[in-house]
Amino acid sequence: MTTGKAVEGYAKDALKYRDDLPSLMVNAVDYVSKIFEQFADIDQCFTRLVEMTYPYILYVLFAAEGHTEMAKRFRPEIEEQLKRYPSTLDNLPESFRKIGEEVKNAGLK
Amino acid sequence: MQVLNNQELAFLAVLGHPELTSRALKLVGREHVDLFHRTFSPALNVMWQGYTEVIKKYKKEYGLRISKDLIAAGLSEKLQASNSIPGEMLDKCDTILRRLMSGAIPPLEEGMSLIKELVQLDANRKISAAVRHNPDIKALQEAVDRTKRTMSTLDTKADVNAGKALFSPFKDIEELATHSVRIPTGINWLDEVSSGGGRSGELWLILGPSGGGKTVIAVQYSCAQALMGNNTLWATYEQSLEGDISERLISYVTGHSLDDIRDKGFNNLEPEIQQQFWTATAGVADKLQALDMTKYEVDEQDPQDNRGMYSVWKHVRELKAKGIVFKSIIIDWIGAMMSQVGAATGKDLSKAFRFMTQAEIDIARAMAKEENVQIIFFHQTNKKSQNAKPTYAPDKTDSKDMSDMNNYFDIVLTLGNRDKNNIAWFNGAKSRKAQEIRKTIELKGAYSKFVLADGYIPNRDGNFYKPSAEYEPDAEDDDEVLNRRRMAASSYSREIN
């Protein structure tokens, strides 16, 4: 049975690996292009996309593409992600760094 | 004799040029090459293409002996040290790379056209010319010729070692190139544990208790694959296509509750649901092919036809002949398949019954490789895990008990029992992560997702919550719910272990 101590151990393990941001972003590019092609209703697109990839990934992607309005939808999620895992964006390629800086400069950690 | 064509030589030079390679990798970020490869890194694309072509040619046609000759002549070092690429080409590569990486991501089409542009760059022609007249390259051609003549002496230990020495500078790129051919799963948490998805030729195993949510994952996966334009074959050995599976698919695609759809038949569904289904599946509906193995008729003329993996492969080949090429195959589920195989062959598979026979695994492995498909097997967990309360987090032993079959699968994922909130422990006993993964997962309707369960994710202060009573199942309710789920999910029951 799961004990509190075991769970704490899992939690420590969790810190050793973080979300595989580059791979997830690669896939997100595919998902976004395919889903937007398939569904006309933009809300339906986002419903699908959130199942296929994580909201904070979508934020990074849309912010990088300059789609401010779409990025805004996922702003709370990236904020939450960065609070939980402050180094989420640290490993991003150079051109994406500004997104992390921009979010962090907005008053987050 | 011109052994390699100019383009290949150019690629070889680019690859062998440490400055250009390091510039590109530095700009792109070595660990993020995959991302840029599939989005907007034309130079890297060129490098990959050239690399794979040249190495393939070496390996296939000339064997590893070439490397021995190269090293003997000191050519490997010379190639890397030579500065045969004009500065103009370096500048152009840099300009394109910087342009692509400094601003927003360009549309994929633009990225592709840039790749073509780079390939066709005038500078490329100049490189070819430079390479052609390079004395080292001429010597390389002679070495290749010699190697070709002495093919019969290949496969010695020295050759292999020499080959490794030659290819080691390119190892990183080879790994990255291999890494790039992932099949995105279309499920966020599955992408996460598999570092971006499956690869062709891989076998995955997803274990879970009866009624534990395996079909939920299969539905979500196959629908996502269809949306991605990938052909998927779903071989079902237990649940009927017309009933349960179709209903779950419709529920997932339209977003309506399964209760609105169950037992009604498609034509009796609300017109709105029907319309939503057709709209959502327009153009992709044929991507998901189903093979109802419960109704499969064994070909009496074919002694190998046994309702097992051979029969699935036979079906795959038949469809391939009609132009339908699959990327993924779902086997739902192993226990039922082995039951069918036992019935078809009349063999006593009771000992193998708890898992696959070696013969079936061998066929699956061969099929995955030959057909370039990823095969996802579903199976039940062992009795200990089956009967455990949802608070029990499955671990390695829950799949290990299925014998040592973990060794045959590239990824093994195990689900625990769901509690009354549809939350189950999830264990990535074998994934692409360095550590064993333990998380909680929500499996509801036709959706599955990781949930930020108490006790797992650190809170904002970096502290960890203790398990919440919210996820503790009520003993009576839980048994009732569990049994109902088991009955609903499975018309077929058997004892494991």
Side-chain angles (χ1 to χ4, degrees), chain A residues 37-82:
Chain A
E37 204 175 283
Q38 182 71 24
F39 297 100
D41 178 12
I42 196 150
D43 288 330
Q44 203 173 1
C45 287
F46 285 123
T47 306
R48 292 281 167 210
L49 284 171
V50 170
E51 291 161 16
M52 298 175 96
T53 187
Y54 291 111
Y56 71 89
I57 298 281
L58 292 171
Y59 175 86
V60 176
L61 193 63
F62 288 132
E65 283 189 318
H67 296 303
T68 318
E69 285 306 310
M70 288 205 261
K72 269 183 190 170
R73 286 171 177 250
F74 303 105
R75 176 83 185 196
E77 280 84 359
I78 187 76
E79 291 178 359
E80 185 64 24
Q81 175 72 15
L82 288 176

Side-chain angles (χ1 to χ4, degrees), chain B residues 26-126:
Chain B
K26 197 175 168 188
L27 279 167
V28 174
R30 191 173 286 250
E31 66 269 46
H32 303 294
V33 163
D34 183 85
L35 167 65
F36 287 97
H37 165 60
R38 285 173 55 184
T39 49
F40 49 79
S41 174
L44 212 58
N45 235 314
V46 171
M47 286 160 66
W48 263 328
Q49 286 168 14
Y51 171 77
T52 49
E53 281 308 307
V54 170
I55 296 301
K56 207 190 293 172
K57 196 157 192 169
Y58 279 176
K59 285 183 176 171
K60 278 195 175 172
E61 293 186 27
Y62 313 118
L64 294 172
R65 181 57 182 267
I66 189 171
S67 59
K68 201 175 175 182
D69 286 339
L70 278 171
I71 286 169
L75 287 173
S76 182
E77 289 79 1
K78 279 187 189 174
L79 254 181
Q80 291 204 38
S82 69
N83 192 17
S84 55
I85 301 176
E88 189 188 341
M89 176 59 182
L90 289 175
D91 292 344
K92 283 200 175 186
C93 281
D94 265 11
T95 309
I96 290 178
L97 281 168
R98 284 186 192 285
R99 182 189 149 202
L100 289 168
M101 284 163 212
S102 61
I105 300 176
L108 288 179
E109 295 74 22
E110 192 187 336
M112 291 307 294
S113 70
L114 280 164
I115 292 168
K116 286 177 189 164
E117 183 191 332
L118 192 74
V119 173
Q120 291 162 3
L121 265 181
D122 191 35
N124 249 4
R125 192 169 51 76
K126 288 178 185 168

Side-chain angles (χ1 to χ4, degrees), chain A:
Chain A
M1 301 293 282
T2 307
T3 63
K5 197 174 179 183
V7 169
E8 198 169 316
Y10 304 159
K12 282 178 185 166
D13 282 348
L15 291 179
K16 292 180 188 166
Y17 64 88
R18 293 197 169 83
D19 295 346
D20 197 340
L21 196 52
S23 296
L24 294 175
M25 283 203 59
V26 170
N27 291 356
V29 172
D30 282 355
Y31 298 152
V32 168
S33 58
K34 293 277 165 45
I35 294 296
F36 274 74
E37 204 175 283
Q38 182 71 24
F39 297 100
D41 178 12
I42 196 150
D43 288 330
Q44 203 173 1
C45 287
F46 285 123
T47 306
R48 292 281 167 210
L49 284 171
V50 170
E51 291 161 16
M52 298 175 96
T53 187
Y54 291 111
Y56 71 89
I57 298 281
L58 292 171
Y59 175 86
V60 176
L61 193 63
F62 288 132
E65 283 189 318
H67 296 303
T68 318
E69 285 306 310
M70 288 205 261
K72 269 183 190 170
R73 286 171 177 250
F74 303 105
R75 176 83 185 196
E77 280 84 359
I78 187 76
E79 291 178 359
E80 185 64 24
Q81 175 72 15
L82 288 176
K83 280 170 188 164
R84 288 180 183 277
Y85 296 111
S87 60
T88 295
L89 300 175
D90 288 354
N91 293 325
L92 278 176
E94 195 66 38
S95 58
F96 286 93
R97 293 262 167 83
K98 62 184 179 187
I99 299 166
E101 284 162 13
E102 183 250 330
V103 177
K104 284 175 183 171
N105 290 340
L108 305 172
K109 137 69 191 268

Side-chain angles (χ1 to χ4, degrees), chain B residues 221-251:
Chain B
Y221 177 85
S222 51
C223 286
Q225 289 302 308
L227 283 171
M228 296 294 291
N230 298 335
N231 287 320
T232 303
L233 177 68
W234 184 330
T236 174
Y237 281 88
E238 183 183 14
Q239 290 167 307
S240 70
L241 291 174
E242 297 82 4
D244 202 41
I245 291 176
S246 303
E247 288 164 356
R248 282 164 184 258
L249 287 167
I250 295 166
S251 167

Side-chain angles (χ1 to χ4, degrees), chain B residues 22 149 177 401:
Chain B
S22 65
R149 287 195 294 271
D401 283 359

Side-chain angles (χ1 to χ4, degrees), chain B residues 1-34:
Chain B
M1 175 185 168
Q2 182 74 17
V3 180
L4 303 174
N5 65 35
N6 290 342
Q7 197 180 33
E8 287 168 340
L9 286 171
F11 287 142
L12 186 64
V14 170
L15 288 166
H17 198 285
E19 191 185 347
L20 180 58
T21 308
S22 65
R23 274 189 200 203
L25 288 177
K26 197 175 168 188
L27 279 167
V28 174
R30 191 173 286 250
E31 66 269 46
H32 303 294
V33 163
D34 183 85

